Amino acid sequence: MRQRVVVLALDGVIPFELGIPQRIFGLARRTEAHGRGEKLYDVVTCSLRPPGPVRTDADFSIMVEHGPDALATADTVVVPASYGLGPVHSEGRLTGELAAALAYIRPGTRLVSICTGGYVLAAAGYLDGRPATTHWSSADHFQRVFPKVRVDPDVLFIDDGDVLTSAGVAAGIDLCLHILRRDHGTAVANDVARRTVVPPHRDGGQAQFIRRPLPEAGLATTAAARSWALGRLEQPILLRDMARQESMSVRTFTRRFREESGISPGQWLTQQRVERARQLLESTDLSVDQVAQDAGFGTATSLRQHVQAALGVSPTVYRRTFRTRSARRPAAPSETRPVA
């Protein structure tokens, strides 16, 4: 039997996230061995009110043909991100209208959130004591509003059995493909991924998408040492040399540095070298060995270890994902010749 996926469209819904379940689950078909062509899911969209328009965060509204009672028919409920969550986002509590709608959901229904749709699941208590994720920029706020939730800001999605949450935007695609793979196997998920022109599985987590610019020297008492170190990241840098820039003992400098940055000088240096490596991987054609030297890691092995630990992917995978067009090798004449 087909599974029924019901997508809850809230006021302020983000159209991209709203369309992900329909696109991914709606394309899923049985493979050749099991009668290719038969749909595996019915996907419907509902709102909190009787059928009618629902405003989005864009300059248009959508016409939704199902009311909240459609949630009672769901095998899986998906809550996409919305910018109209009101007290759900600010106070962690459901409105009466939203609580009444969620009451339609049958026990045992699989619950899925995309991006900040996790606020709805958390406010309803579905995430208490569970691991969950959301968009990296909302993770700290999410944790403050819902202290009972075990928030992991680094992953693309979390599968906790009957409750699944995803990080921001396109991570909803990753999660829906994962659900396909879990429900019907790799062949079905890969077929949908090919037809959607997305990878069936992405390496790494959200860390690779978070930009942490190299900091400018400020008024902090260790600013001169940080500025000095940033100017020579490719060289060996000793703790005593950084302390000397501030005319402090190593012990005093280490204490002040931790007070001002929240981490040790060694951890900070590693972070800045990873950032330097990211910039070089994105914007140059330097070899991995040369990037390792210019970023101060010395060897390609050391670079791979630190980038993998910080970003969840190898330098090569990171470069392939984020390398800017201007940094790529110009095409040879034969590569630009039109195909007859």
Side-chain angles (χ1 to χ4, degrees):
M1 294 180 62
R2 294 180 188 173
Q3 297 183 57
R4 189 172 179 85
V5 177
V6 178
V7 185
L8 178 58
L10 302 172
D11 283 330
V13 68
I14 302 174
F16 183 93
E17 281 91 327
L18 177 65
I20 289 172
Q22 178 63 248
R23 185 63 175 169
I24 300 300
F25 295 116
L27 283 176
R29 299 289 190 276
R30 293 197 181 278
T31 58
E32 294 286 355
H34 301 90
R36 182 176 176 80
E38 181 183 348
K39 291 180 63 175
L40 294 171
Y41 299 88
D42 286 323
V43 185
V44 300
T45 303
C46 76
S47 70
L48 297 182
R49 295 175 289 278
V54 173
R55 62 180 177 82
T56 71
D57 81 320
D59 62 342
F60 57 85
S61 295
I62 58 172
M63 182 63 67
V64 178
E65 298 182 359
H66 301 275
D69 55 320
L71 293 169
T73 70
D75 299 300
T76 298
V77 170
V78 182
V79 185
S82 167
Y83 285 128
L85 295 177
V88 175
H89 182 273
S90 60
E91 303 172 34
R93 65 175 179 84
L94 299 176
T95 63
E97 187 178 47
L98 182 52
L102 296 181
Y104 281 103
I105 299 175
R106 297 171 299 170
T109 300
R110 180 166 58 189
L111 305 174
V112 178
S113 67
I114 298 176
C115 193
T116 54
Y119 278 79
V120 174
L121 300 187
Y126 293 121
L127 300 181
D128 286 356
R130 289 179 178 262
T133 193
T134 189
H135 194 287
W136 60 265
S137 65
S138 298
D140 289 342
H141 179 265
F142 190 89
Q143 186 67 87
R144 289 196 301 272
V145 175
F146 304 108
K148 294 181 180 179
V149 181
R150 305 202 307 272
V151 180
D152 185 345
D154 295 327
V155 297
L156 293 176
F157 61 82
I158 289 179
D159 179 344
D160 196 40
D162 59 339
V163 179
L164 302 92
T165 54
S166 81
V169 196
I173 299 176
D174 296 294
L175 178 54
C176 289
L177 286 172
H178 167 77
I179 293 171
L180 279 187
R181 194 176 300 110
R182 196 178 92 170
D183 287 352
H184 299 289
T186 300
V188 170
N190 288 354
D191 178 66
V192 170
R194 283 193 296 270
R195 295 168 68 188
T196 315
V197 199
V198 296
H201 175 77
R202 283 197 293 169
D203 295 320
Q206 293 195 79
Q208 60 185 311
F209 301 99
I210 303 172
R211 169 60 64 193
R212 296 184 178 90
L214 299 180
E216 298 180 0
L219 301 177
T221 59
T222 60
R226 286 187 278 115
S227 179
W228 175 84
L230 288 174
R232 48 184 49 77
L233 285 177
E234 75 283 359
Q235 304 173 20
I237 297 175
L238 301 177
L239 183 56
R240 65 171 180 266
D241 295 330
M242 293 185 68
R244 189 178 297 120
Q245 306 308 309
E246 306 291 357
S247 300
M248 296 180 188
S249 68
V250 169
R251 181 176 181 179
T252 300
F253 175 79
T254 301
R255 177 174 55 80
R256 292 275 183 87
F257 195 99
R258 188 178 288 277
E259 288 173 351
E260 292 173 0
S261 68
I263 55 178
S264 71
Q267 291 171 320
W268 178 84
L269 272 174
T270 297
Q271 285 184 358
Q272 305 318 311
R273 283 173 167 152
V274 168
E275 289 302 315
R276 175 68 58 81
R278 288 174 69 167
Q279 293 176 349
L280 295 173
L281 290 168
E282 291 178 21
S283 60
T284 75
D285 281 323
L286 294 175
S287 67
V288 172
D289 288 304
Q290 189 60 55
V291 169
Q293 293 179 27
D294 290 357
F297 288 115
T299 67
T301 299
S302 179
L303 173 68
R304 281 191 288 269
Q305 290 173 344
H306 284 95
V307 169
Q308 185 75 44
L311 307 180
V313 293
S314 69
T316 301
V317 170
Y318 183 85
R319 167 171 272 172
R320 189 163 59 240
T321 304
F322 292 100
R323 195 177 189 183
T324 59
R325 182 177 299 275
S326 62
R328 293 173 180 161
R329 175 179 60 84
S334 62
E335 294 176 303
T336 58
R337 187 183 303 125
V339 178

